[in-house]
Amino acid sequence: MTTGSYIFLAGASRGVGREIAKYLTAQNLRVKALLRSETPELEAIGVKTIMGDALNVRDVEAAILGDEPIQTVISTIGGLPSEGERADYLGNKNLIDASVKAGVQRFILISSIGTGNSAGALPPQALATLGPVLVEKDKAEQHLIASGLTYTIIRPGGLKSEPATGNGILTEDPRIVGTIHRADVAQLVCGCLNSPRSHNKTLSAVDKNMLAGQLEFVEFALD
């Protein structure tokens, strides 16, 4: 991290994004977050919050193309089916395009196992249920890859809101599926920040003790 630069976080109000915010601020890193509503809990831990909607291009550009340099953008955004227009593609597209304009050095996108070439990892019933969301996530992944930004795409398995186990792992093997705690995903994401090995990689994230099946695979080392 360059002194004075920020990590820009989209999706910090809940889930993996909230865990990433807590992990980064605990390391005294400067974090700026785009939020649709006031979140006092984030401000209390030192996150600089900016009100806006990722689906609004002007909001996103105002947040990213400011005077304060942003070195890395991390996006965990995605819409629930009840929320109407999903941010999985359009919101991330806006973030990616603004990052290109701003000269951001790095973009880390949190996607999902079942996206792209990992579709075969999911059981047919799960794939059918998640299909529309996974299509949007795949479009976001492809837009990021084509953007020219240095990227890392992390596809977690099924997510649990429990304390970190420390057993979260990454792999390039798209056949892997399992579950992982959100706090462990956050640790893996933050580990990628200073790992040149993770540049321009698409990685699945699971807990090595919560795998589905006995498939042999190679763990991806960040250093």
Side-chain angles (χ1 to χ4, degrees):
M1 287 290 296
T2 303
T3 302
S5 64
Y6 279 85
I7 296 172
F8 187 90
L9 184 55
S13 63
R14 64 188 182 194
V16 172
R18 176 72 67 90
E19 294 296 329
I20 292 172
K22 291 192 293 189
Y23 198 87
L24 292 174
T25 54
Q27 298 180 69
N28 296 315
L29 294 171
R30 303 179 78 187
V31 181
K32 184 184 293 187
L34 179 67
L35 300 168
R36 287 184 293 180
S37 57
E38 295 284 349
T39 309
E41 297 92 340
L42 291 176
E43 295 173 0
I45 61 173
V47 174
K48 180 172 182 177
T49 59
I50 301 173
M51 294 299 106
D53 189 338
L55 290 170
N56 185 308
V57 174
R58 289 184 179 179
D59 285 356
V60 173
E61 290 191 346
I64 293 180
L65 297 170
D67 294 332
E68 297 163 320
I70 294 170
Q71 178 142 343
T72 300
V73 172
I74 302 173
S75 175
T76 70
I77 62 172
L80 299 174
S82 62
E83 292 178 346
E85 190 173 34
R86 293 189 180 94
D88 298 271
Y89 171 58
L90 289 177
N92 280 313
K93 178 183 184 298
N94 291 339
L95 290 164
I96 292 162
D97 292 347
S99 296
V100 171
K101 285 186 179 181
V104 169
Q105 295 183 24
R106 184 89 182 281
F107 198 108
I108 300 177
L109 175 66
I110 314 307
S111 184
S112 174
I113 286 179
T115 305
N117 67 346
S118 67
L122 294 184
Q125 184 176 0
L127 198 59
T129 301
L130 297 171
V133 176
L134 297 176
V135 168
E136 296 298 300
K137 289 185 182 297
D138 183 56
K139 287 164 65 178
E141 289 187 7
Q142 295 306 315
H143 192 72
L144 176 56
I145 291 168
S147 71
L149 293 166
T150 298
Y151 69 87
T152 303
I153 296 167
I154 297 179
R155 298 168 171 168
L159 294 166
K160 293 185 176 183
S161 294
E162 297 177 31
T165 66
N167 296 319
I169 56 161
L170 297 168
T171 180
E172 291 185 88
D173 194 325
R175 301 171 299 163
I176 289 298
V177 69
T179 55
I180 185 169
H181 295 182
R182 289 177 170 86
D184 286 304
V185 177
Q187 290 188 13
L188 292 172
V189 169
C190 296
C192 289
L193 284 172
N194 296 311
S195 172
R197 289 203 75 236
S198 69
H199 289 182
N200 302 325
K201 295 288 187 182
T202 300
L203 304 165
S204 294
V206 290
D207 188 302
K208 63 184 178 184
N209 294 331
M210 293 189 283
L211 293 168
Q214 302 296 318
L215 187 68
E216 290 188 5
F217 66 98
V218 177
E219 184 176 339
F220 184 86
L222 292 174
D223 50 28

